[in-house]
Amino acid sequence: MKVTVIVTLKPTVLDPQGNAIQRNLETAGISGVTDVRQGKYFEVEVSDAVGASERRVLIERLARDVLTNPVIESYRIEWE
Amino acid sequence: MKFGVVVFPGVNCDRDCRDAVTAVTGQPVEFIWHQETSVEGFDALVLPGGFSYGDYLRPGAIARFSPVMAAIGAFARRGGLVIGICNGFQMLTEAGLLPGALLKNAGTKYVCRYLHLRAESSETPFTCAMEKGRLLHMPIGHGDGNYQADRETLGRLEDADRIAFRYVDGDGRATAEANPNGSVSNIAGIVNEGRNVMGMMPHPDRSFDRILGSEDGRLVFQSMIGALSRV
């Protein structure tokens, strides 16, 4: 089964990469964009042998303890 | 006194750290492979700089799960001296042994140059050979050295005298211009609550001999050996 985890910087954390993208959009002929925040997107494949409740626990752990640094980031899980 | 330099795949300052500790302290140094599950017999540990696991995910994020990290955590909780330099600092924050996080440099660029630091406390085992306010000339080389922590954490660091180093200009002023990476309050290094774990982005391991451009880094290792011999 495929699960998607999206990790974003907390709103209070400065995002130099997103800022660099936003600042240079005019040169790409794109105007009117006032903010860009860059995040991370993970496609995770879980073995079908793992039961539904176990899968939930495992993905939560993966997202919370590995893919995210809770000091600066938050995550969202999309179950398909 | 036996020093251990912990080697993770992708770090590249392990030999610099060994050479620095050897040259400054004259004590035995051994490498500890990241698959080890014990750090028995060591008096102090060095987590060197580099790009552990290619810095994928976040710098230090994958190294944190190496088997040796559990042993290092236990060693630190027993009061053992642990210094993390550059990538080592990032590992210590990821592992929760130091508060806060190291983000991408505010200027987005990798910065590799000599700069000035100010010792903010002489009350740590890593800075006890320096007087407070002492200026040090040391190099940095990092893309993710932008130290950030929430206001409450910063207050705690400040109140408990846990900020070890700040980036300053040649006159010792912690200005915005002297800040190479956007770190909050120009922070370059901090210690944990027990004061036995320190993380710093600048490299004392690259500034222990005049031929390298500075020997101010010696003071960090001299402090450690001084603190260890007083125990």
Side-chain angles (χ1 to χ4, degrees):
Chain A
M1 184 201 170
K2 205 173 95 180
V3 181
T4 303
V5 181
I6 295 165
V7 176
T8 50
L9 280 175
K10 286 181 178 171
T12 49
V13 175
L14 176 78
D15 178 14
Q17 293 180 108
N19 288 348
I21 296 167
Q22 189 271 332
R23 272 199 315 274
N24 295 291
L25 284 177
E26 296 281 348
T27 55
I30 299 166
S31 56
V33 176
T34 54
D35 193 25
V36 175
R37 305 278 294 167
Q38 181 170 325
K40 291 173 186 156
Y41 172 95
F42 301 90
E43 286 175 350
V44 182
E45 196 71 45
V46 187
S47 160
D48 292 333
V50 178
S53 62
E54 202 186 329
R55 182 168 61 220
R56 202 156 263 284
V57 173
L58 181 143
I59 293 292
E60 281 284 351
R61 262 196 63 205
L62 168 71
R64 189 189 59 229
D65 298 342
V66 182
L67 300 182
T68 309
N69 178 343
V71 178
I72 48 169
E73 295 167 325
S74 37
Y75 64 89
R76 191 171 81 236
I77 300 169
E78 288 179 356
W79 309 89
E80 279 176 23
Chain B
M1 301 294 164
K2 191 160 84 171
F3 283 74
V5 175
V6 189
V7 184
F8 299 84
V11 301
N12 57 15
C13 297
D14 39 339
R15 285 169 179 78
D16 304 58
C17 286
R18 178 198 54 191
D19 292 351
V21 171
T22 305
V24 178
T25 70
Q27 300 296 313
V29 188
E30 277 175 29
F31 289 128
I32 305 169
W33 184 233
H34 72 119
Q35 295 288 357
E36 293 291 335
T37 51
S38 162
V39 292
E40 269 308 304
F42 289 95
D43 299 292
L45 301 176
V46 185
L47 273 61
F51 303 87
S52 57
Y53 297 89
D55 270 356
Y56 293 126
L57 191 57
R58 298 177 305 277
I62 305 179
R64 176 202 153 188
F65 293 103
S66 282
V68 76
M69 283 306 279
I72 294 173
F75 179 81
R77 280 185 288 277
R78 286 198 304 272
L81 292 194
V82 181
I83 178 173
I85 301 166
C86 200
N87 197 206
F89 185 8
Q90 294 161 339
M91 291 176 208
L92 291 171
T93 58
E94 283 285 344
L97 292 171
L98 288 173
L102 291 143
L103 277 70
K104 212 152 275 304
N105 291 349
T108 66
K109 286 199 178 70
Y110 188 95
V111 183
C112 187
R113 63 176 166 89
Y114 261 91
L115 43 64
H116 289 96
L117 300 177
R118 190 176 66 204
E120 299 293 89
S121 171
S122 53
E123 302 296 316
T124 85
F126 311 94
T127 57
C128 54
M130 332 169 187
E131 65 279 19
K132 184 182 158 106
R134 154 99 196 207
L135 292 194
L136 301 116
H137 199 218
M138 243 186 244
I140 57 163
H142 61 248
D144 299 76
N146 179 357
Y147 182 77
Q148 297 295 332
D150 59 44
R151 201 177 304 169
E152 197 193 320
T153 306
L154 284 175
R156 274 204 306 271
L157 291 176
E158 196 82 62
D159 294 346
D161 192 29
R162 287 170 51 191
I163 298 168
F165 298 109
R166 278 196 167 88
Y167 301 109
V168 294
D169 63 18
D171 298 320
R173 291 171 309 194
T175 60
E177 293 72 37
N179 188 336
N181 52 30
S183 288
V184 63
S185 189
N186 283 41
I187 290 173
I190 57 167
V191 292
N192 68 342
E193 208 175 347
R195 311 185 85 75
N196 61 308
V197 178
M198 179 173 81
M200 64 187 296
M201 288 312 293
H203 282 276
D205 53 319
R206 293 185 193 167
S207 49
F208 67 90
D209 194 301
R210 213 173 303 163
I211 204 167
L212 297 169
S214 170
E215 44 185 10
D216 289 351
R218 298 179 78 88
L219 288 167
V220 173
F221 302 110
Q222 278 165 358
S223 296
M224 289 176 76
I225 197 71
L228 282 169
S229 27
R230 273 196 296 277
V231 173

